[in-house]
């Protein structure tokens, strides 16, 4: 089927954003100006903007002085799309763990090899905060996501980064009822410290090996403590953006 006019217009708006060098937060033309410049009707413009807003490409501010501004799509949009696809395939939580178990060690090795100092500083800070705030599960979950997000970023491969980070929004299992005890949080903090040290030493082999251990232990934790979660099918409403 040929694409809808609104989809074609959405693609043209994205091309305009790139060609004009617009950055996050920059304003886009108002609807009336888009109607005229693109030669399409109001309904087509509104549908195109709705598509782009759903994908995180733009933000629409309501009221006087509002309108569309440039956004920045991130891994949450991909996580939402993956969750929708997985729901129709009746994909269990186990499958996500298995994929991440193969890919995450590669990212850790690349991160150690690349040695991006800004990323290394962020990883060290995340580890230190997690260890200092073990009593706070909310801080633990945030730093757990941030730690793996930074490692994916440090791999310096945009596709790998987006894919891993989208899985990371799903992988903690919190929306499926998983709870992390203080003991389990402490163990995660300890192995994060080991991974961090390997990356700081630019030891890609050790970073890969320790991350492989971390992923295997994560799977074992879920199998032991939350066996029903392992077979639970993922749904779009759990992870919709």
């Amino acid at each position: 089927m040929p694409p809808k006019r609104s989809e074609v217009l959405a693609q043209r708006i994205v091309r305009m954003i790139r060609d004009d060098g617009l950055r996050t937060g920059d304003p886009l033309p108002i609807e009336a100006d888009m109607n005229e410049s693109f030669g399409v009707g109001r309904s087509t413009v509104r549908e195109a903007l709705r598509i782009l807003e759903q994908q995180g490409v733009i933000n629409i501010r309501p009221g006087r002085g509002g309108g569309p501004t440039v956004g920045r799509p991130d891994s949450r949009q991909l996580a939402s799309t993956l969750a929708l696809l997985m729901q129709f395939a009746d994909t269990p939580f186990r499958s996500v763990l298995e994929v991440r178990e193969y890919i995450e060690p590669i990212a850790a090795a690349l991160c150690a090899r690349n040695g991006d100092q800004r990323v290394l500083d962020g990883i060290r800070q995340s580890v230190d905060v997690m260890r200092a705030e073990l009593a706070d599960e909310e801080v633990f979950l945030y730093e757990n996501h941030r730690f793996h997000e930074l490692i994916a970023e440090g791999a310096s491969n945009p596709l790998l980064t987006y894919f891993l980070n989208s899985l990371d929004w799903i992988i903690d299992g919190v929306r499926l009822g998983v709870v992390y005890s203080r003991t389990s949080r402490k163990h995660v903090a300890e192995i994060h410290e080991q991974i961090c040290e390997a990356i700081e030493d630019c030891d890609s082999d050790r970073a890969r090996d320790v991350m492989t251990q971390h992923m295997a232990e994560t799977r074992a934790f879920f199998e032991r403590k939350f066996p029903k979660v392992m077979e639970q099918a993922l749904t779009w409403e759990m992870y919709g953006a």
Side-chain angles (χ1 to χ4, degrees):
M1 292 180 61
K4 296 179 180 180
R5 295 184 69 186
S6 57
E7 293 173 345
V8 173
L9 178 57
Q11 293 165 1
R12 291 178 66 187
I13 293 172
V14 170
R15 188 162 60 247
M16 177 191 72
I17 291 171
R18 292 296 303 274
D19 290 347
D20 291 351
L22 299 180
R23 302 296 182 185
T24 302
D26 287 346
L28 291 171
I30 61 174
E31 283 186 21
D33 291 343
M34 288 192 187
N35 294 342
E36 182 176 349
S37 62
F38 290 114
V40 296
R42 176 184 292 182
S43 62
T44 300
V45 170
R46 288 185 174 177
E47 177 63 15
L49 293 178
R50 187 194 67 79
I51 292 171
L52 294 175
E53 184 179 32
Q54 190 173 41
Q55 296 297 325
V57 175
I58 67 169
N59 299 305
I60 299 179
R61 296 178 298 185
R64 182 182 295 273
T69 61
V70 178
R72 185 177 180 85
D74 61 27
S75 56
R76 285 171 290 189
Q77 278 77 35
L78 181 55
S80 175
T81 301
L82 286 174
L84 177 60
L85 295 174
M86 288 188 288
Q87 179 171 350
F88 276 92
D90 292 324
T91 306
F93 183 69
R94 177 185 299 277
S95 295
V96 181
L97 282 176
E98 289 174 349
V99 170
R100 190 171 179 238
E101 195 168 349
Y102 284 111
I103 299 176
E104 188 96 28
I106 297 173
L110 289 172
C111 185
R113 187 189 70 183
N114 292 332
D116 185 318
Q117 191 59 51
R118 183 188 61 81
V119 171
L120 297 182
D121 290 344
I123 292 172
R124 167 50 63 190
Q125 182 186 50
S126 176
V127 169
D128 291 346
V129 171
M130 179 183 281
R131 300 192 74 172
E133 302 290 341
L134 279 179
D136 191 326
E137 186 175 17
E138 185 175 341
V139 171
F140 167 81
L141 292 172
Y142 174 80
E143 293 301 337
N144 188 45
H145 174 74
R146 181 167 172 249
F147 176 84
H148 290 282
E149 184 178 53
L150 284 164
I151 287 176
E153 181 183 347
S156 297
N157 182 310
L159 182 59
L160 187 63
T161 300
Y162 277 123
F163 187 62
L164 270 177
N165 286 344
S166 69
L167 294 183
D168 199 54
W169 285 106
I170 300 171
I171 209 69
D172 62 23
V174 170
R175 298 189 189 187
L176 299 177
V178 172
V179 177
Y180 293 86
S181 67
R182 185 182 176 91
T183 299
S184 61
R185 295 198 295 268
K186 181 179 179 182
H187 182 72
V188 170
E190 288 171 351
I191 199 162
H192 278 200
E193 173 71 38
Q194 295 175 42
I195 295 168
C196 178
E197 290 175 354
I199 292 174
E200 287 175 331
D201 292 341
C202 297
D203 189 334
S204 58
D205 289 339
R206 183 155 59 94
R208 183 193 61 236
D209 291 345
V210 182
M211 182 63 80
T212 297
Q213 176 189 343
H214 183 27
M215 294 295 98
E217 289 176 348
T218 299
R219 174 170 44 80
F221 167 76
F222 284 116
E223 288 176 338
R224 184 176 66 258
K225 296 290 188 179
F226 302 95
K228 292 183 179 179
V229 168
M230 293 292 283
E231 306 308 325
Q232 186 168 338
L234 302 173
T235 63
W236 191 27
E237 60 255 55
M238 292 176 183
Y239 302 101

